Amino acid sequence: MCRGAAVIDIRRHNANFCREHFLRLCRDQVSKAIRRFGMLQPGERVLVAVSGGKDSLALWDILVGLGYAADGFYLGLGIGDYSDESAGYAHRYAESRSLTLHTVDLPAAHGFDVPGGARAAKRAPCSACGLSKRHLFDEAARRGGYDALATGHNLDDEAAVLMGNTLRWQTEYLGRQLPVLEARDGFPRKVKPLVRLSERETAAYCILRGIDYVVEECPMAVGNKHLAYKAALNDIEVQSPGAKHDFYFGFLERASERFRAEVERDRGNLAPCERCGSPTDAGVCAFCRLTERATAEAERKGAIQLEVRKTPSEAVARATRERSKKERA
Amino acid sequence: MCRGAAVIDIRRHNANFCREHFLRLCRDQVSKAIRRFGMLQPGERVLVAVSGGKDSLALWDILVGLGYAADGFYLGLGIGDYSDESAGYAHRYAESRSLTLHTVDLPAAHGFDVPGGARAAKRAPCSACGLSKRHLFDEAARRGGYDALATGHNLDDEAAVLMGNTLRWQTEYLGRQLPVLEARDGFPRKVKPLVRLSERETAAYCILRGIDYVVEECPMAVGNKHLAYKAALNDIEVQSPGAKHDFYFGFLERASERFRAEVERDRGNLAPCERCGSPTDAGVCAFCRLTERATAEAERKGAIQLEVRKTPSEAVARATRERSKKERA
């Protein structure tokens, strides 16, 4: 029985923790996830996708503490002040710990920012952003020769994504929602070592470790469905502590593999993108197509605003929405 | 284009309805569910489980309107004034339409009520109630020689049950959550013809058809998880109209069968209950065991209150909770 002053209570563990035991709990939970899912081997080189927020900075700090050779990668998304501010937190953390932080600036390197890319591709901002991040994180890990790419997705994130995938029974997404995706065909191994920690815990970890992080949510994400699913799960967690954990880990234990076979079967054959060399099943990869549309849009600005035709993927999405509405009638 | 005055808007259909078109919509949705899932054949005799609430009275009214030979069955659960009041609504509807309503009173026929049964069996009230209803509904349908037993579960009910089953990934329950369970081994066919209607719609149907129903929720259900799941789904539906429909019907179309094989495989061999003759895989059926405990408890009242030992099923539930807590640590 520890006599230290409690700094946090965690209802799903039905326990209070002092500073030292809480920090140890966080490290132990990350260790446990890494071991359980075979995420990393001792001494491997890891690239951590760092946003400047609590999750990615806590992840980086814990991985370094556990002895992994972990460098950071910051991607500037061109979301106004929010991106500048986030970059500052990432850089200050790296400098204070003498860690290596690689950076890429989307507008400088590729000629468009997330708001512009979303407009040009007629995608939701979070969709254009996710596509850009996946592509550029993968590329950075591959070029740097890292063994794995680690992202700061926590239990709240994964449970909310799972809720979205389940509410729509998106069987392909369900089959791919795993804490580890093995390296294949030019994609690096991708791991989510924070899946056993909630966002309240990563925030507390940063505060107790003196890590400053950007507190604001991304302004582009306001009102998106992911946040609505988080709110719904928070309400359920209040009534049933542990509900999020059981939802996510119960899925991995008892349901995930029921959706996996068809994902393996339906996997397209990958070949290098004609423009950037990244693996793709579409000739030109989705990021290069986004870049093309976004930079063309940027050039057109100031000239006559042309009627932008619907993109094929948008037409499909619209048809799906219409069909869904009809089926309810 | 109808010129009638709109009485209700339904956001998931993105439309307003006048009285006549709304009533037709309700009947059409029930017809569609019956046809799509092969619930009933024309002219079949149906026993409707009637609680006195909006769903079961709307169901009975619609089935009669569609030409089915539908009788009602009311089960008095002994939940104080709530049961008396509910019975009144069921009887008044049946009388006003000259329909046949069978009734059984749990305390009079079996010597215990739901609150007492729950206490004696150390079950949640909704659990003791559900067990009693399933048993006595089945028995009434079997004894009356009905082709099917129809219950008033609506889209909100089924979506909330599905959310509970999914949050805990209770694979056995997921494999059995179907709008039709075929007759087998002495169990009647069970059908849920309201799965395409929301509870707001069944309430509006009753009001427009002049059907009085008990408005209060059952007092035993206050604070149960089912209501919390309904609230969570209501929040999601506000942001994404049609979300409940897509959740439930998407499950039936794309996920349900992934959970069904093991339910078929793990089915126990059924034999008549030693006491009541109902099909069971346990010698004495669960309802007869509940009755035994509840009546023994009732007899003991007034005498010395004995220490009631934990029942085996409770010990299992406790062990499961403990194991679950440990796995999160």
Side-chain angles (χ1 to χ4, degrees), chain B residues 169-186:
Chain B
W169 294 100
Q170 290 171 305
T171 56
E172 192 189 335
Y173 293 168
L174 286 167
R176 282 186 299 188
Q177 194 182 348
L178 296 167
V180 180
L181 293 175
E182 287 304 328
R184 65 172 189 100
D185 304 330

Side-chain angles (χ1 to χ4, degrees), chain A residues 4-326:
Chain A
V7 297
I8 188 169
D9 74 302
I10 306 184
R11 288 191 62 206
R12 78 178 184 289
H13 296 311
N14 200 20
N16 297 314
F17 294 85
C18 71
R19 181 180 186 281
E20 285 317 309
H21 278 117
F22 174 71
L23 294 176
R24 190 192 298 173
L25 172 85
C26 291
R27 288 185 203 110
D28 287 351
Q29 293 289 350
V30 170
S31 278
K32 193 168 176 176
I34 289 174
R35 237 181 11 252
R36 165 70 182 79
F37 297 109
M39 292 180 178
L40 300 170
Q41 300 304 318
E44 281 195 322
R45 291 184 66 234
V46 191
L47 186 64
V48 181
V50 175
S51 69
K54 62 194 186 315
D55 300 311
S56 54
L57 291 177
L59 173 60
W60 198 3
D61 195 70
I62 292 172
L63 288 179
V64 168
L66 291 173
Y68 293 97
D71 294 341
F73 176 72
Y74 178 83
L75 176 62
L77 296 158
I79 306 177
D81 293 345
Y82 180 74
S83 287
D84 298 337
E85 203 194 333
S86 304
Y89 285 103
H91 281 290
R92 283 191 295 278
Y93 173 78
E95 277 160 29
S96 71
R97 264 69 171 179
S98 305
L99 295 170
T100 300
L101 180 68
H102 306 286
T103 62
V104 166
D105 189 62
L106 184 65
H110 298 279
F112 71 99
D113 55 23
V114 160
R119 262 196 317 274
K122 299 197 175 296
R123 281 169 170 261
C126 297
S127 160
C129 182
L131 165 58
S132 303
K133 287 198 287 196
R134 280 191 299 277
H135 179 87
L136 295 168
F137 290 169
D138 287 353
E139 187 179 76
R142 201 170 52 238
R143 291 195 178 166
Y146 289 92
D147 297 303
L149 171 73
T151 53
H153 296 91
N154 59 39
L155 177 58
D156 295 79
D157 294 323
E158 291 301 302
V161 168
L162 181 58
M163 174 159 273
N165 291 342
T166 309
L167 280 170
R168 289 182 290 269
W169 293 100
Q170 290 171 304
T171 56
E172 193 189 334
Y173 293 168
L174 286 167
R176 282 186 299 188
Q177 193 182 349
L178 296 166
V180 179
L181 293 175
E182 287 305 327
R184 65 172 189 101
D185 304 330
F187 287 115
R189 187 191 327 148
K190 297 179 204 182
V191 302
K192 300 175 179 172
L194 296 187
V195 288
R196 297 184 63 88
L197 292 175
S198 76
E199 57 187 27
R200 179 166 165 268
E201 289 142 33
T202 59
Y205 179 90
C206 286
I207 291 165
L208 292 170
R209 288 276 295 161
I211 300 171
D212 263 357
Y213 61 86
V214 60
V215 172
E216 290 75 39
E217 288 280 354
C218 172
M220 311 297 289
V222 172
N224 78 4
K225 286 181 184 169
H226 186 68
L227 294 181
Y229 301 148
K230 278 195 174 176
L233 283 165
N234 284 342
D235 290 344
I236 290 165
E237 181 83 13
V238 166
Q239 185 159 2
S240 308
K244 286 178 204 173
H245 176 103
D246 294 348
F247 180 44
Y248 178 65
F249 288 96
F251 168 73
L252 294 180
E253 275 167 34
R254 295 189 295 282
S256 163
E257 70 177 327
R258 296 167 204 255
F259 298 93
R260 233 174 285 167
E262 68 203 44
V263 171
E264 297 296 326
R265 194 193 59 211
D266 296 346
R267 221 172 225 177
N269 286 323
L270 299 181
C273 167
E274 293 164 14
R275 305 217 179 132
C276 73
S278 295
T280 179
D281 61 359
V284 175
C285 78
F287 178 75
C288 285
R289 282 179 279 142
L290 172 63
T291 303
E292 184 178 32
R293 279 204 293 274
T295 50
E297 171 90 357
E299 280 168 21
R300 215 160 33 224
K301 275 205 179 166
I304 298 158
Q305 183 68 34
L306 296 176
E307 169 79 2
V308 182
R309 278 180 305 168
K310 303 291 185 206
T311 61
S313 72
E314 228 231 331
V316 169
R318 205 179 49 238
T320 306
R321 277 197 305 274
E322 287 299 317
R323 198 179 59 223
S324 187
K325 214 181 84 188
K326 212 170 137 195

Side-chain angles (χ1 to χ4, degrees), chain A residues 13 32 168 254 328-329, chain B residues 13 32 168 254 328-329:
Chain A
H13 296 311
K32 193 168 176 176
R168 289 182 290 269
R254 295 189 295 282
R328 285 178 222 134
Chain B
H13 296 311
K32 193 168 177 177
R168 289 182 290 269
R254 295 188 295 281
R328 284 178 222 133

